[in-house]
Amino acid sequence: MCTCLNYSHLGCTICKGFKNKFINCLRNCKTYQARKPLWFYNTSLKFFLNKPMLADVVFEIQGTTVPAHRAILVARCEVMAAMFNGNYMEAKSVLIPVYGVSKETFLSFLEYLYTDSCCPAGIFQAMCLLICAEMYQVSRLQHICELFIITQLQSMPSRELASMNLDIVDLLKKAKFHHSDCLSTWLLHFIATNYLIFSQKPEFQDLSVEERSFVEKHRWPSNMYLKQLAEYRKYIHSRKCRCLVM
């Protein structure tokens, strides 16, 4: 039996292919982690997070303002470096509007830039932060969010997966749209290996033809397994298996 969620046996081709792709993603994440020494990021910078002290730029989000420091942003984010140093209005403006993310998500993003750490409250928050990271092209943060979501889902027991309100197909589509290849590949595989749970949810019908084909092809339990299981149960309850003495 192959559940494809722990990789100790790796009996089927899809397991082997997915394992190699997933391990590459993990290696990429570790590469991002090792690019700069730990001492480079001083946790004391958190003291300046969302504080007006020495701030030289203010972000306007959802009707509120968030002060920040250009030097830190430029050093930590290439998109912001280009934004503040190029021929853009942000280079000359103190008040910069931010669209497409909530204030909470943007503060989490800034916290990562200031402290090199992030602690999403849950899967939904991690996905919002992943989208923000993709918007500003901070690849390492995007990988961290991917791994957080994968770890959270993988640790859930079947009963919790069946009862949770999170739309797993919507999560898959967002991961694909925001170029999170590692997460989208894993989510599609996760849906297939938990077929009996996710096929009963209404959002299962939102899978594309290609996605549905993959899930049906690699589903667990497979149709063949269910058929053999039914035949076995029928056999052990038949007269052939009854005790002859009785």
Side-chain angles (χ1 to χ4, degrees):
M1 182 178 72
C2 179
T3 63
C4 300
L5 290 182
N6 75 34
Y7 305 108
S8 58
H9 45 283
L10 296 169
C12 64
T13 304
I14 182 62
C15 280
K16 292 177 181 177
F18 179 76
K19 180 196 175 189
N20 292 335
K21 183 175 287 189
F22 186 66
I23 286 176
N24 287 335
C25 288
L26 291 174
R27 286 173 178 168
N28 288 339
C29 186
K30 290 178 180 178
T31 300
Y32 283 112
Q33 292 174 339
R35 281 184 178 175
K36 289 186 175 119
L38 293 177
W39 55 262
F40 182 83
Y41 306 108
N42 192 338
T43 55
S44 63
L45 288 178
K46 190 172 183 178
F47 176 78
F48 295 99
L49 178 63
N50 197 22
K51 300 287 178 60
M53 182 185 299
L54 302 179
D56 53 2
V57 63
V58 177
F59 293 101
E60 185 178 26
I61 312 167
Q62 296 180 328
T64 61
T65 56
V66 176
H69 306 79
R70 292 176 191 256
I72 297 174
L73 304 180
V74 168
R76 296 283 281 130
C77 176
E78 292 181 2
V79 169
M80 288 195 176
M83 185 172 70
F84 290 129
N85 292 320
N87 296 319
Y88 303 100
M89 69 173 190
E90 290 86 355
K92 300 177 181 179
S93 177
V94 176
L95 186 64
I96 300 174
V98 176
Y99 305 103
V101 297
S102 67
K103 179 183 178 181
E104 291 73 18
T105 299
F106 194 73
L107 280 174
S108 295
F109 174 70
L110 289 182
E111 181 179 6
Y112 171 78
L113 297 185
Y114 276 66
T115 68
D116 198 47
S117 64
C118 67
C119 298
I123 293 174
F124 176 77
Q125 291 78 6
M127 187 46 133
C128 291
L129 186 55
L130 183 150
I131 292 171
C132 186
E134 191 266 342
M135 183 189 306
Y136 288 98
Q137 298 180 22
V138 182
S139 300
R140 181 173 177 268
L141 177 58
Q142 195 170 353
H143 278 286
I144 290 173
C145 293
E146 283 181 322
L147 292 175
F148 177 88
I149 294 170
I150 289 171
T151 302
Q152 290 292 305
L153 287 173
Q154 198 169 26
S155 65
M156 286 185 183
S158 297
R159 184 176 298 178
E160 189 174 349
L161 284 175
S163 62
M164 72 175 183
N165 294 323
L166 184 69
D167 188 336
I168 200 77
V169 176
D170 181 61
L171 206 64
L172 169 64
K173 293 187 180 300
K174 285 179 178 177
K176 282 190 171 184
F177 184 80
H178 293 283
H179 310 292
S180 293
D181 297 332
C182 178
L183 179 60
S184 61
T185 300
W186 187 89
L187 284 172
L188 195 58
H189 185 73
F190 187 63
I191 293 171
T193 53
N194 291 277
Y195 184 87
L196 294 182
I197 294 175
F198 293 117
S199 62
Q200 303 301 315
K201 293 179 176 286
E203 60 265 22
F204 187 78
Q205 305 304 320
D206 296 332
L207 289 170
S208 67
V209 175
E210 183 182 358
E211 292 164 349
R212 186 72 173 267
S213 176
F214 176 91
V215 170
E216 294 292 345
K217 182 178 180 181
H218 301 292
R219 56 170 283 184
W220 181 261
S222 64
N223 285 323
M224 179 64 69
Y225 173 81
L226 293 176
K227 181 179 178 181
Q228 292 175 346
L229 181 61
E231 290 175 354
Y232 175 73
R233 286 174 174 171
K234 183 179 179 181
Y235 173 76
I236 63 174
H237 287 92
S238 68
R239 292 181 179 179
K240 294 180 181 179
C241 289
R242 292 180 182 175
C243 181
L244 297 178
V245 175
M246 299 299 291

